[in-house]
Amino acid sequence: MIVHLKDNISEQESLKIAEKLKAIVVRGKNNKLLVASSKMKSLPEEVADFVEESFVLSSDIQLASRDYMPETREIKIGKNYIGGSHNNTMVISGPCSVESEEQITSAAELLKELNISTLRGGCFKPRTSPYTFQGLGMEGLRLLGEMSDKYDLNIITEVKDATHVDAVIEHSDIIQIGAKAMYDHGILKKCGETDKPVLLKRGFGTTLQEFVQAAEFILSGGNDNVILCERGIRTFETKTRFTLDLCGVSFLKEYTNLPVILDPSHAMGYAYGVPDLARACTAMGVDGLLIEVHPDPSVAKSDAAQQLNYDEFKDLYKSLSAIAQAIGRTII
């Protein structure tokens, strides 16, 4: 249940009401927004006079539910917007990992050439094997900061664990929580305490309910700027890296008020299939695409097989505008 308290309720009174309801007081809402378990279907009589409005929800998808907020949340990223009534599809691109100054400068120059505003690049890599490239860490963050300043680009990079979450929040424009960290409550809590946009990736063994409930941790912490990212789930299929759940995307668009971005690179796992998947995703009217591109994928230190080279990416990018235009959207 979501509860809006009356304006004349004091902070002390709101805390007492929250205690009675076993509810969370949402940060930054003047202590007037409370969220209790969805198992609560009616207000206790002793608090009813303090309540302006209440919303009974069918599950713990609450703040993210269209039954609570019918319109898609508007999120500002640099000078651009996604969600709301903007009908924008934001292309976010760059290498899987920041590997060197030369490599990330080359990627930034490509994006600037194509008028793409947001550069991705991993600095702290949650790898499956301890013997593979783990990222440049703080040096990678420094390089991304230089690219942001020099080329006027928004930066998205991934937080792997609690040891560097503050640094990623400080130095990025969008905080990415990867599939392997989706259940990390320390990261979710920290991201709820900032107002920066957070891109939350779906875990590859996670149901849609679990996925959106992870987003609820951030929303209930007071951060309204949450973006969902479908990046593929693990199924019985072995010929692709994962299976991109476009049915799940339809559910998210229908029942949640959060912008949805798709990551065809991680879903497919092989560069040959990324352009077709990206075009299909665009046709669904999503709010953004996350596409990996590298100056020479054959020597990439992580996820080499799925990264597009520059010519492949340019050809794909040219084709997206026409698809977006056909469904009344704009590629940004």
Side-chain angles (χ1 to χ4, degrees):
M1 175 181 284
I2 298 175
V3 175
H4 292 184
L5 298 179
K6 293 179 178 178
D7 287 339
N8 62 351
I9 302 302
S10 69
E11 180 178 351
Q12 187 175 10
E13 287 174 320
S14 69
L15 293 174
K16 288 181 179 178
I17 295 168
E19 186 177 356
K20 289 179 181 179
L21 299 178
K22 296 182 174 57
I24 293 171
V25 181
V26 179
R27 177 188 63 88
K29 308 301 179 185
N30 297 318
N31 299 301
K32 300 299 189 292
L33 176 58
L34 311 182
V35 187
S37 169
S38 60
K39 294 178 181 178
M40 180 175 289
K41 301 303 181 184
S42 62
L43 287 169
E45 288 185 10
E46 62 266 30
V47 305
D49 290 341
F50 300 98
V51 174
E52 182 70 34
E53 191 174 12
S54 62
F55 302 82
V56 175
L57 286 305
S58 60
S59 77
D60 276 344
I61 295 177
Q62 298 202 78
L63 293 169
S65 173
R66 287 201 188 275
D67 288 335
Y68 171 60
M69 183 182 294
E71 301 300 322
T72 302
R73 293 170 184 262
E74 177 185 272
I75 296 181
K76 188 174 188 287
I77 301 170
K79 301 173 184 176
N80 298 310
Y81 291 87
I82 60 173
S85 59
H86 296 284
N87 289 326
N88 288 331
T89 297
M90 174 176 281
V91 174
I92 300 169
S93 195
C96 175
S97 302
V98 180
E99 299 170 355
S100 67
E101 183 172 0
E102 180 182 12
Q103 173 240 25
I104 200 63
T105 299
S106 174
E109 289 174 347
L110 172 70
L111 267 58
K112 202 65 180 175
E113 175 190 340
L114 298 175
N115 200 31
I116 294 173
S117 63
T118 305
L119 172 67
R120 63 146 290 136
C123 303
F124 302 92
K125 299 301 297 179
R127 306 303 300 281
T128 303
S129 168
Y131 311 115
T132 52
F133 179 61
Q134 306 293 304
L136 295 180
M138 292 302 298
E139 173 65 10
L141 279 183
R142 184 190 67 79
L143 290 172
L144 287 176
E146 288 187 3
M147 297 306 103
S148 176
D149 293 340
K150 184 176 181 179
Y151 297 100
D152 191 27
L153 294 169
N154 305 314
I155 298 299
I156 177 171
T157 193
E158 182 173 355
V159 56
K160 182 175 70 172
D161 58 49
T163 63
H164 55 263
V165 60
D166 290 322
V168 170
I169 290 172
E170 180 182 355
H171 294 287
S172 64
D173 299 289
I174 309 172
I175 305 148
Q176 177 179 313
I177 301 176
K180 294 174 182 175
M182 194 207 80
Y183 285 115
D184 189 317
H185 286 206
I187 293 175
L188 295 173
K189 182 178 179 181
K190 277 283 188 180
C191 288
E193 294 171 357
T194 180
D195 291 324
K196 282 191 175 180
V198 177
L199 184 141
L200 178 67
K201 284 195 166 187
R202 182 182 182 185
F204 43 75
T206 301
T207 67
L208 293 165
Q209 181 76 28
E210 293 165 341
F211 179 30
V212 185
Q213 284 181 181
E216 291 279 334
F217 277 94
I218 304 170
L219 293 168
S220 63
N223 188 350
D224 294 326
N225 300 303
V226 181
I227 305 162
L228 300 176
C229 181
E230 163 61 34
R231 45 79 71 209
I233 55 175
R234 181 165 286 162
T235 66
F236 55 81
E237 187 51 69
T238 60
K239 297 301 183 184
T240 59
R241 187 176 183 185
F242 295 99
T243 298
L244 191 62
D245 185 9
L246 298 187
C247 295
V249 172
S250 290
F251 170 88
L252 297 174
K253 289 179 60 185
E254 180 72 15
Y255 291 103
T256 79
N257 56 41
L258 303 178
V260 180
I261 283 180
L262 275 76
D263 179 352
S265 299
H266 277 89
M268 184 69 201
Y270 302 97
Y272 76 85
V274 171
D276 281 345
L277 276 182
R279 286 186 280 264
C281 295
T282 303
M284 289 191 72
V286 295
D287 299 285
L289 298 169
L290 197 59
I291 301 172
E292 292 189 354
V293 59
H294 192 285
D296 184 0
S298 67
V299 298
K301 294 183 178 181
S302 58
D303 287 347
Q306 69 194 34
Q307 299 188 70
L308 302 180
N309 64 38
Y310 286 4
D311 288 338
E312 291 169 333
F313 181 73
K314 286 179 181 179
D315 288 343
L316 166 60
Y317 189 68
K318 288 176 185 176
S319 71
L320 297 179
S321 291
I323 297 171
Q325 185 177 6
I327 60 170
R329 299 188 69 86
T330 302
I331 296 292
I332 62 170

